[in-house]
Amino acid sequence: MSSNTESTFYADAVLFDMDGTLTDSISAVEAAWGKVATDIGQDPAYVIAATHGKRAVDNLAQFKPHIKAHEMDREVQAFEESILFFADAYKKHGPGSVPNSPVISGSTTPALTPSASTPASRNSSRAGSFVGSLAQLTSFRRPSFLHRVSSLLAMSPSIREDESALENPISEEADDVSDDWKASLAKKHQLEAWQIEAAAVDRSVRILPSVKRIMDSIPKGRYAVATSGAKTYAYGCMTRVGITPPEVTITADDKRLKAGKPAPDPFLLAAKELGFDAKKCVVFEDSPSGIRAGVASGATVIAVCTSHERAKIENCGAHYLVDTMDQVEIVPEGEGEHTRLRFVIKAKPSPAHKQELAPQQQAQHPLAAPPITAAIAA
């Protein structure tokens, strides 16, 4: 399933998935589904794996079947607001709100359980960024701080009114930390335990590599977003990383949709709204269900390995498989209604070629990353 040659083809328009394709909110999404799992007494790892790439309405119907039809819209909105809370809490309420805070949040996320391994990066498979308790947040430098906040969490579902519970939550060894963090805890003592936990880890939404370059290269009216997120979450994620949602943005709560991914409906509707045949569009996707939806729509599918390991998506039917959008170029040709988009998919050199170049490249660029590779589906 590999190719060492560059590939070029043409299309009329581009249909983007959002999370895992344009944005990375994996940590916040997994934390939110992990909270759902904890609330219903299920294994967070199982719930997280089962929900990725699917609409919240479908997932909530599966895991919370007691929700009545007339309550579902409100439940979906509340769930998506919890994602955004997890995404923002560290910088709004936690150590990240303290200028020059010595508390460092790395790019990795803590394990689901004490025995689980910590993912190597935010781009690893969606397997474990939900944190069950603050005691598991091993990436923090201030264990005494964690011990005290963990004690607060153990007290009750919400922080007690008693101000003594908030007295000196940061130990003397952290005197260089400003009082903003503990003052915020005191001021917002009504926060529930999960909200305090959310504030302890940086789960900010991030834009993925080359997304801005790719989107800027496509003429207006030639691209759309079709996401499994409802409007609250979708627009919230994109605006947080500086992406202006395109005029055609199909969200999971669009009442015109009969089904979500892996059904092709979101991509078919997006193509229709743009005024193009889906068969002449290119879909960018990262999840198995999204890739299958794109293939079912008849579009050419470029799968990006930004949220899943290559082995987990390479057999889902994508026409091209790339590590990130760094490997893709889109060049408009022609004008007006005659515009066509030329796609160039870059392929990596063969292993032998890389070995030949390696000594020179390392000497000239000691910090350079190895070339990104492309695989072209048969």
Side-chain angles (χ1 to χ4, degrees):
M1 190 183 175
S2 63
S3 172
N4 295 322
T5 60
E6 187 172 275
S7 180
T8 301
F9 61 92
Y10 288 82
D12 289 338
V14 182
L15 312 176
F16 293 105
D17 170 52
M18 187 196 70
D19 193 38
T21 302
L22 300 178
T23 64
D24 176 10
S25 62
I26 176 173
S27 296
V29 171
E30 289 182 353
W33 282 120
K35 179 183 182 300
V36 170
T38 300
D39 290 345
I40 62 176
Q42 292 212 31
D43 176 25
Y46 169 72
V47 174
I48 288 168
T51 53
H52 178 52
K54 301 175 184 176
R55 299 184 301 176
V57 62
D58 298 325
N59 291 327
L60 289 173
Q62 175 184 351
F63 289 104
K64 289 189 169 184
H66 62 277
I67 298 175
K68 295 180 174 59
H70 70 275
E71 300 171 334
M72 186 56 79
D73 285 349
R74 184 173 65 250
E75 290 290 330
V76 168
Q77 181 171 345
F79 170 75
E80 296 202 339
E81 287 174 351
S82 79
I83 297 176
L84 297 178
F85 186 94
F86 273 109
D88 297 340
Y90 179 82
K91 292 182 178 177
K92 282 189 175 181
H93 309 297
S97 65
V98 180
N100 301 317
S101 170
V103 181
I104 297 174
S105 176
S107 61
T108 58
T109 48
L112 276 165
T113 64
S115 61
S117 61
T118 302
S121 72
R122 290 174 64 96
N123 292 339
S124 63
S125 177
R126 293 175 178 253
S129 64
F130 173 70
V131 185
S133 71
L134 273 177
Q136 298 169 9
L137 302 181
T138 57
S139 64
F140 278 77
R141 297 197 305 182
R142 306 291 186 183
S144 56
F145 163 74
L146 285 179
H147 174 74
R148 301 208 179 207
V149 179
S150 295
S151 298
L152 292 179
L153 296 182
M155 293 170 59
S156 68
S158 61
I159 304 302
R160 291 180 179 178
E161 294 286 337
D162 186 0
E163 291 184 359
S164 64
L166 296 169
E167 183 181 355
N168 192 24
I170 301 177
S171 71
E172 289 73 17
E173 69 182 66
D175 286 340
D176 55 335
V177 180
S178 97
D179 287 339
D180 289 351
W181 168 244
K182 60 182 179 181
S184 178
L185 272 176
K187 182 179 180 181
K188 298 183 181 296
H189 58 275
Q190 73 275 15
L191 290 180
E192 295 182 12
W194 73 269
Q195 294 173 310
I196 300 296
E197 185 277 331
V201 180
D202 186 0
R203 299 184 178 92
S204 304
V205 183
R206 291 170 170 81
I207 192 166
L208 286 166
S210 287
V211 165
K212 179 171 173 42
R213 173 182 62 81
I214 288 289
M215 297 187 82
D216 286 347
S217 69
I218 308 171
K220 184 179 179 180
R222 292 288 182 138
Y223 67 93
V225 169
T227 175
S228 292
K231 192 169 184 178
T232 297
Y233 165 53
Y235 280 68
C237 277
M238 286 189 278
T239 56
R240 275 166 172 75
V241 297
I243 295 174
T244 300
E247 185 176 340
V248 178
T249 296
I250 306 301
T251 55
D253 47 355
D254 193 312
K255 300 305 181 184
R256 295 171 293 179
L257 293 175
K258 293 182 179 179
K261 303 170 187 177
D265 301 36
F267 292 124
L268 292 174
L269 180 58
K272 179 181 177 183
E273 289 299 300
L274 284 177
F276 297 103
D277 184 343
K279 294 182 176 64
K280 295 183 179 180
C281 293
V282 170
V283 162
F284 281 90
E285 261 288 358
D286 71 298
S287 71
S289 62
I291 293 168
R292 293 187 180 103
V295 172
S297 74
T300 297
V301 179
I302 300 175
V304 289
C305 301
T306 48
S307 66
H308 289 76
E309 296 172 0
R310 184 178 292 264
K312 294 185 177 180
I313 62 175
E314 62 184 356
N315 295 316
C316 294
H319 302 86
Y320 300 92
L321 186 64
V322 299
D323 286 350
T324 72
M325 289 189 196
D326 286 343
Q327 297 167 252
V328 182
E329 288 185 4
I330 303 176
V331 181
E333 295 185 355
E335 304 218 351
E337 61 182 18
H338 301 294
T339 299
R340 297 173 63 193
L341 304 178
R342 176 165 59 88
F343 286 76
V344 179
I345 310 295
K346 301 174 185 177
K348 69 174 179 179
S350 66
H353 183 55
K354 283 200 299 181
Q355 289 177 358
E356 292 173 6
L357 293 178
Q360 267 189 317
Q361 289 176 337
Q362 289 176 358
Q364 295 174 0
H365 306 287
L367 300 179
I372 298 174
T373 66
I376 300 178

